[in-house]
Amino acid sequence: MSIHRFTATDFRCLEQIELKAGPQYNLIFGANASGKTSLLEALAYLGRGKSFRGAPVNSLIRHGQHEFVLFGEVETGTRISKVGVRNSRDGLEIRVDGDKEGGAATLAAAMPLQLIDPEVHALVSGGPEERRRFLDWIAFHVEHDYLETWRRFRRTLKQRNAALRSGASARVIRSWNAEFLDLGARVDDARRRALEVSEGCLVEKGGALLLHEVGFEYQPGWAKDRSLEEALDAGLDRDMQLGATQSGPHRGDLKLIYDERQAKRLVSRGQQKLLACSMILGAAETAQTALERPLLLLLDDPAAELDNDSLDRLMDEVVRLGAQIIATSLDAEALEFPTDPTMFHVEHGRLRQL
C-alpha cells in the first residue's frame, strides 16, 4: 500500500495542506511547533479514525472552525481507493470509496499503517492495554474474522459486568459464562496464533536494534494452572464484590524479556524505545507478509533520545522493511535513506514540496 495524495483541512494548525507522497521515502522537516507532528497525526487519523495522541475532537479542529476533513488516495495493490474522514462535534463520518457503512475497521483495512513516535516507549513501559492493542493489531491483519470475534467478546464482557454491577445473583452471572468462555477462547487462540506468526520477526528486529536477545511470552489474563472456566468459577465472589470480571483475555498481557529478564523493569528509556520500535517493525513485517503488500510507516522524529549508532540501526531496519516511509525531522539532513527522499518543508502549518 502507498498513499499517493493526502489533504487535510482545518486539522489542528493545518488550514489546508496537500501532500503528494513519493512511493518509498518521504521526509518532512521544519522547526518545533511548525506542524510536522500534526501532519503525521492527520495521516494516522485517516488510517485509524482516532488520534494517536489521545486528543478529543474539539482539540483537533482548527480554532474558529466546526469540523476537520481528511482525504487520501491510496493504492491497495490492484487499484486506487479513496478514503475520507470528516469529524465535528456532531460525530465522525468515514467513507471508503463512497461507502460510509464500514466504520474505522474499513480505514484500517484500506490504509494499514504503523507509527513510531516519541511516546513509542510506552509500549514497553506502559500498562498491559498498550501491549494488548499491539497484539490485537497483528491478529486483525493475520486472522480474517478476528475483529468480529473481538467485538462480540467485548459486548459479552460488557453485559456480564453490567450484571455484576447491578447486584445480580450468582445464577444470573453464571448464565453469561458460556458465551463469555466461547468468545474468550477464540480471542485467546487468535492472539496466540498472532504471536506465533510474528515472534520470529519480533525476535529478529529486537536483536538487531538492541544487540541483545529478546523474548515474548503471552499472558492470557488468568492463572496458567487453570482453565478460563475454572478461573471464572473460583473468582465469582470477587467479581461480584468488585462489580467487574477479573479473569479473561481483556486482562491479558505480552511479557517482554530482554537479556533473559523482564524488559519493563530493566531497560533505559532509550532501550525501551528501541525495543518498542523493534516490536512495531516486527508487527509491520508480519502484516505485510499476510497482506502481500507494503504498509505505510510513519516516523515522528525518530532521532529523539537515540545516539547516532542506535539511530543508524533503527533506520537500517526501517529501510529493510520495504514500507512506504513518511518521516519528520528538525532538519533536512537528520535522517539517511538509500535514495533521496521526496522532501517537504513545513512552517506555520503550511507545507511546501521542495
Side-chain angles (χ1 to χ4, degrees):
M1 183 222 81
S2 60
I3 185 164
H4 296 293
R5 176 172 171 263
F6 171 74
T7 64
T9 303
D10 294 329
F11 186 94
R12 289 201 186 268
C13 66
L14 308 174
E15 179 179 1
Q16 177 68 57
I17 63 100
E18 180 178 23
L19 181 147
K20 294 182 178 179
Q24 274 195 306
Y25 310 123
N26 299 269
L27 180 62
I28 303 165
F29 69 97
N32 286 326
S34 61
K36 303 187 303 296
T37 297
S38 293
L39 178 49
L40 285 199
E41 185 180 16
L43 278 161
Y45 204 108
L46 185 62
R48 295 179 173 180
K50 61 182 180 180
S51 164
F52 67 74
R53 299 157 87 178
V57 174
N58 58 2
S59 69
L60 297 176
I61 300 171
R62 194 169 67 88
H63 181 70
Q65 304 303 308
H66 68 279
E67 67 178 16
F68 67 79
V69 179
L70 310 173
F71 173 79
E73 295 177 354
V74 180
E75 183 179 347
T76 59
T78 58
R79 63 190 184 88
I80 302 295
S81 284
K82 295 182 178 180
V83 181
V85 168
R86 180 194 307 270
N87 209 345
S88 69
R89 295 170 183 84
D90 296 327
L92 175 67
E93 179 184 337
I94 292 170
R95 290 180 183 265
V96 177
D97 292 327
D99 184 0
K100 59 180 181 179
E101 300 300 323
T106 61
L107 296 177
M111 189 175 160
L113 63 86
Q114 273 289 10
L115 166 78
I116 292 175
D117 74 328
E119 300 302 314
V120 70
H121 62 87
L123 184 56
V124 175
S125 62
E129 65 278 3
E130 298 281 349
R131 293 177 290 280
R132 284 196 298 270
R133 282 195 290 267
F134 167 79
L135 200 51
D136 287 340
W137 185 88
I138 300 175
F140 172 78
H141 288 291
V142 302
E143 298 278 327
H144 295 299
D145 60 350
Y146 181 70
L147 178 62
E148 179 59 26
T149 300
W150 182 86
R151 284 174 170 171
R152 290 177 59 198
F153 170 77
R154 293 293 300 180
R155 285 196 297 268
T156 302
L157 171 64
K158 184 177 180 179
Q159 291 164 335
R160 189 178 193 271
N161 284 344
L164 287 166
R165 288 192 299 271
S166 72
S169 67
R171 180 183 61 81
V172 172
I173 302 303
R174 288 193 177 96
S175 70
W176 287 106
N177 283 7
E179 186 173 10
F180 182 91
L181 289 168
D182 175 54
L183 293 170
R186 295 188 200 182
V187 169
D188 183 65
D189 288 344
R191 284 177 176 172
R192 292 180 188 275
R193 288 193 297 270
L195 180 57
E196 182 179 355
V197 168
S198 62
E199 190 169 15
C201 290
L202 298 175
V203 169
E204 178 187 353
K205 300 297 183 186
L209 292 188
L210 286 160
L211 306 180
H212 279 283
E213 184 177 349
V214 300
F216 303 87
E217 179 184 322
Y218 175 60
Q219 298 177 325
W222 63 91
K224 294 179 181 179
D225 59 350
R226 287 178 170 170
S227 67
L228 179 53
E229 183 175 9
E230 291 169 338
L232 285 182
D233 287 341
L236 180 58
D237 289 343
R238 187 163 183 255
D239 287 355
M240 295 177 71
Q241 181 181 6
L242 297 175
T245 306
Q246 301 302 302
S247 297
H250 60 293
R251 299 182 67 85
D253 198 357
L254 185 62
K255 182 179 179 181
L256 313 179
I257 303 166
Y258 171 75
D259 197 17
E260 300 183 349
R261 288 164 289 184
Q262 191 167 352
K264 187 174 179 179
R265 298 175 182 171
L266 292 173
V267 294
S268 68
R269 176 85 168 230
Q271 290 171 316
Q272 287 176 350
K273 178 172 182 175
L274 287 175
L275 178 53
C277 288
S278 75
M279 293 169 64
I280 296 297
L281 294 174
E285 184 170 308
T286 301
Q288 286 187 159
T289 300
L291 298 173
E292 298 183 334
R293 55 189 171 109
L295 272 67
L296 171 62
L297 180 64
L298 304 177
L299 301 175
D300 188 14
D301 193 15
E305 299 182 331
L306 295 181
D307 58 44
N308 289 336
D309 288 342
S310 296
L311 179 61
D312 287 345
R313 293 198 302 274
L314 173 59
M315 293 307 296
D316 284 346
E317 294 302 317
V318 164
V319 168
R320 190 171 289 115
L321 181 64
Q324 183 187 29
I325 309 299
I326 301 180
T328 69
S329 68
L330 288 173
D331 62 75
E333 308 298 327
L335 302 177
E336 293 187 8
F337 296 97
T339 59
D340 291 340
T342 303
M343 300 287 289
F344 303 87
H345 182 250
V346 62
E347 185 176 14
H348 303 306
R350 296 182 177 88
L351 185 70
R352 178 171 61 94
Q353 183 171 347
L354 303 180

